[in-house]
């Protein structure tokens, strides 16, 4: 019996397919055709979760005390581990009972925060390009999104001075993310001071995504929003264990900051989920307490891959500045090709998976994101396939760039 009279809510119908779900479909088809895929699309760290974390999870799994529902607000010991980590890394003092909340990954929290605080028609400021959850969450909540177009000539930083006063006065929330996914841009401390002053002036809630805090190189130390005086009055910060600790599939993240905002998110979540399995929270505590030598090994791994791929792409015509953080390279498409066409062309010709930049918003058009989630042998194979297929960047081309914004699902 057909159920075509049952239709999804408008909030679902208005959402385009999630790019990574669409990429999974394309990858499955490519594998069916026998292609040896080198998947540099998702930010899905390769390798195993650290052994001490796995061992802690196994031990906790065997404890029957962990087999029931966990506390809605997370275990007290995990919240304490979160606030201890913030104090150790940033000198920020947080109350584990009211200013820290474990999440089922940061994506869940970022999206649910919008449901907790955005009414239909509320204006939300979101950079473009940006991590999709930053604009899809407010869209699901019925918010009106005002895109803050980021530009390479401004080092992909938000130009606060370019935001019209009438827009700033209407805005309720500003999402932002440095070190940035997808651009790998970093922001100086002065920028954080400016954005806090901006938000306090216009009474805007700041939502900062600090998911790449530990993936920093060459002596660079990212800034936490909460380091800035007054930030906790008007802001919260999200973090995840997915990237640094190779725990993407474990689904563990957290939010810290303003206690009232966190309480609102907690209230929503008590109606939607029961939180993280307690055994996983024990494992996450262990991850946050790993010695710095582990962090240095992770940083060295991504730094080596960054240098290898930047040099290899340089031989193919790309001039890519050395990134200071994240696990990504933000790479221009060849002149005359849109993001989707280039990514699909690379996939079909080489079996290398890249993410079209337009998946991150309209200002991502003309770029692809490359994830550093394979070792140098596989990255070398990807470069070899590029050479064999004649894929290179030729800025001297006389072909005019396409002005159309490609649609991944067209």
């Amino acid at each position: 019996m057909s159920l075509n009279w049952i239709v999804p809510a408008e909030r679902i119908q208005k959402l385009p397919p999630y790019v990574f779900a669409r990429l999974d479909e394309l990858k499955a088809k490519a594998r069916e055709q026998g292609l040896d895929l080198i998947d540099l699309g998702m930010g899905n760290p390769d390798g195993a979760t650290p052994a001490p974390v796995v061992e802690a999870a196994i031990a906790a799994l065997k404890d029957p005390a962990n087999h029931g529902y966990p506390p809605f607000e997370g275990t007290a010991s995990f919240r304490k581990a979160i606030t201890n980590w913030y104090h150790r890394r940033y000198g920020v003092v947080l109350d584990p009972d009211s200013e820290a909340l474990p999440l089922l990954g940061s994506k869940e929290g970022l999206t649910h925060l919008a449901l907790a605080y955005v009414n239909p028609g509320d204006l939300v400021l979101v950079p473009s390009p940006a991590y999709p959850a930053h604009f899809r969450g407010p869209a699901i909540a019925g918010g009106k999104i005002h895109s803050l177009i980021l530009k390479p000539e401004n080092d992909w930083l938000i130009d606060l001075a370019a935001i019209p006063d009438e827009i700033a006065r209407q805005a309720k929330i500003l999402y932002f993310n440095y070190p940035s996914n997808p651009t790998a841009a970093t922001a100086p401390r002065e920028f954080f001071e400016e954005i806090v002053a901006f938000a306090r002036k216009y009474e805007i809630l700041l939502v900062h995504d600090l998911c790449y805090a530990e993936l920093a190189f060459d002596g660079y130390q990212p800034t936490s929003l909460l380091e800035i005086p007054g930030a906790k009055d008007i802001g919260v910060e999200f973090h995840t264990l997915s990237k640094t600790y190779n725990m993407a599939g474990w689904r563990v993240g957290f939010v810290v900051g303003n206690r009232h905002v966190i309480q609102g998110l907690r209230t929503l979540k008590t109606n939607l989920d029961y939180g993280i399995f307690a055994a996983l929270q024990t494992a996450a505590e262990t991850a946050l307490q790993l010695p710095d030598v582990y962090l240095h090994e992770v940083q060295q791994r991504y730094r080596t891959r960054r240098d290898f791929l930047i040099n290899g792409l340089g031989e193919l015509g790309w001039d890519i500045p050395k990134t200071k953080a994240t696990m990504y390279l933000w790479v221009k498409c060849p002149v005359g090709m849109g993001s989707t066409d280039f990514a699909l062309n690379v996939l079909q010709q080489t079996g290398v998976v890249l993410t079209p930049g337009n998946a991150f918003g309209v200002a991502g058009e003309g770029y692809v994101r490359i994830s550093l989630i394979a070792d140098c042998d596989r990255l070398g194979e990807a470069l070899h396939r590029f050479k064999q297929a004649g894929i290179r960047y030729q800025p001297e081309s006389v072909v005019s760039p396409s002005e159309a914004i490609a649609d991944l699902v067209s």
Side-chain angles (χ1 to χ4, degrees), residues 11-19 135-136 139 359 407-409:
R11 69 178 66 90
I12 297 299
Q13 295 186 59
K14 290 179 180 179
L15 288 175
Y18 191 58
V19 63
F135 52 84
R136 287 176 179 258
D407 182 357
L408 181 62
V409 295

Side-chain angles (χ1 to χ4, degrees), residues 216-286:
F217 321 121
D218 307 327
Y220 174 70
Q221 173 60 50
T223 299
S224 163
L225 171 67
L226 301 182
E227 289 182 83
I228 307 304
K232 199 163 61 173
D233 296 337
I234 43 85
V236 290
E237 190 161 70
F238 287 78
H239 195 55
T240 178
L241 280 73
S242 294
K243 313 301 182 182
T244 307
Y245 303 106
N246 283 25
M247 295 177 69
W250 297 60
R251 309 314 304 137
V252 182
F254 54 84
V255 59
V256 294
N258 185 277
R259 68 181 63 224
H260 304 293
V261 175
I262 287 176
Q263 179 57 40
L265 178 56
R266 178 185 178 277
T267 298
L268 178 72
K269 283 173 59 61
T270 59
N271 289 277
L272 296 175
D273 65 66
Y274 272 102
I276 307 166
F277 180 29
L280 300 188
Q281 295 189 58
T282 298
E285 291 175 41
T286 301

Side-chain angles (χ1 to χ4, degrees), residues 16 48 65 80 100 116 119 173 210 252 302 346 354 369 379 382-383 395:
K80 184 64 175 176
N119 293 311
I173 300 177
L210 190 62
V252 182
Y302 286 111
V346 169
L354 312 176
R369 192 193 71 178
L379 294 178
L383 291 168

Side-chain angles (χ1 to χ4, degrees), residues 84-104:
N84 285 345
W85 181 86
Y86 254 86
H87 187 258
R88 185 172 71 251
R89 294 281 293 164
Y90 299 107
V92 173
V93 177
L94 295 162
D95 180 357
D97 293 329
S98 62
E99 295 177 335
L101 180 68
L103 304 168
L104 297 164

